[in-house]
Amino acid sequence: TWLLNTLLVTFGSVAIALVISTLAGYSLSRFRTRGQQAAGFVLLLSKMLPPTLIVIPFFIMFTSFGLIDSLFGLMLANAAVGVPFASWLMKGFFDGIPYELEQAAMIDGCLEMSALWRIAVPLCRPGIAASAVYLGIVAWADFVFARTLVSQPTNWLLTVGLLTFIGEHSVDWAMLMAAGSLSLIPVVVLFLLLEPFL
């Protein structure tokens, strides 16, 4: 159950964060206004905040919206933590793609969003793969949000579930090591699947 919860939260948060960070990275790369520069600076500044500092505001917001003990809430929390760095990563990849390619597509009849999805995004596959690996590792290794925002054992993630093998007076080393080894397999598979794009 914990492994399935972790897989679900990881895939959900990566999907949410990839869409947002791809659009944000494109925006930071293509539009050079003061508002864009300020938004980029805020994104960079928010990356410097540790998760332990933002977990209490998240807890208050999620309580207000009824997202406590929800896997969807964990997806949103992990996506929010991963988006700033992934946006800057995607900006770097979009900066390497000449804007003239998109302009040529728009001359041929594409709308601006269509040029983004048909020209820029396919050329940016290595950046998307790198961002997916980063976001996947961040979501997979999450402990702070998973421990604070979820209290039902049926909704625990693997990182929180591993704590149950550590008792007050003893540690079930066999189960802890087995579960720890099991938790490495999906991350290795993620790297193997995305390695051709890197």
Side-chain angles (χ1 to χ4, degrees), residues 1-190:
T1 302
W2 299 331
L3 184 62
L4 289 174
N5 288 345
T6 308
L7 285 169
L8 185 64
V9 168
T10 299
F11 282 118
S13 62
V14 167
I16 293 168
L18 263 183
V19 171
I20 294 170
S21 60
T22 300
L23 294 173
Y26 181 79
S27 173
L28 288 172
S29 174
R30 296 297 191 239
F31 305 110
R32 306 284 182 179
T33 63
R34 288 191 181 196
Q36 290 298 107
Q37 292 175 349
F41 180 72
V42 168
L43 275 175
L44 195 59
L45 195 64
S46 67
K47 181 58 190 156
M48 297 179 193
L49 299 173
T52 52
L53 186 65
I54 58 176
V55 72
I56 295 173
F58 271 31
F59 184 82
I60 294 169
M61 284 191 305
F62 283 23
T63 303
S64 302
F65 292 116
L67 293 173
I68 294 292
D69 279 332
S70 160
L71 295 180
F72 180 67
L74 282 179
M75 289 178 202
L76 292 179
N78 287 319
V81 169
V83 161
F85 181 76
S87 297
W88 275 97
L89 191 63
M90 292 302 297
K91 177 196 180 302
F93 280 95
F94 280 121
D95 284 344
I97 299 171
Y99 186 55
E100 289 77 14
L101 294 173
E102 295 164 60
Q103 288 177 329
M106 286 186 271
I107 288 172
D108 288 340
C110 276
L111 298 174
E112 194 163 353
M113 283 301 289
S114 181
L116 164 68
W117 292 114
R118 290 174 186 259
I119 306 297
V121 168
L123 291 174
C124 212
R125 279 187 298 184
I128 293 171
S131 297
V133 168
Y134 165 75
L135 293 166
I137 290 172
V138 166
W140 188 264
D142 172 48
F143 178 78
V144 175
F145 295 129
R147 184 72 178 136
T148 308
L149 302 176
V150 174
S151 58
Q152 296 284 337
T154 54
N155 288 342
W156 279 354
L157 300 188
L158 197 56
T159 51
V160 178
L162 289 175
L163 280 181
T164 59
F165 301 123
I166 302 173
E168 186 177 351
H169 301 291
S170 66
V171 177
D172 188 352
W173 287 108
M175 292 296 287
L176 185 62
M177 292 298 115
S181 300
L182 183 68
S183 71
L184 293 175
I185 294 171
V187 177
V188 173
V189 169
L190 177 70

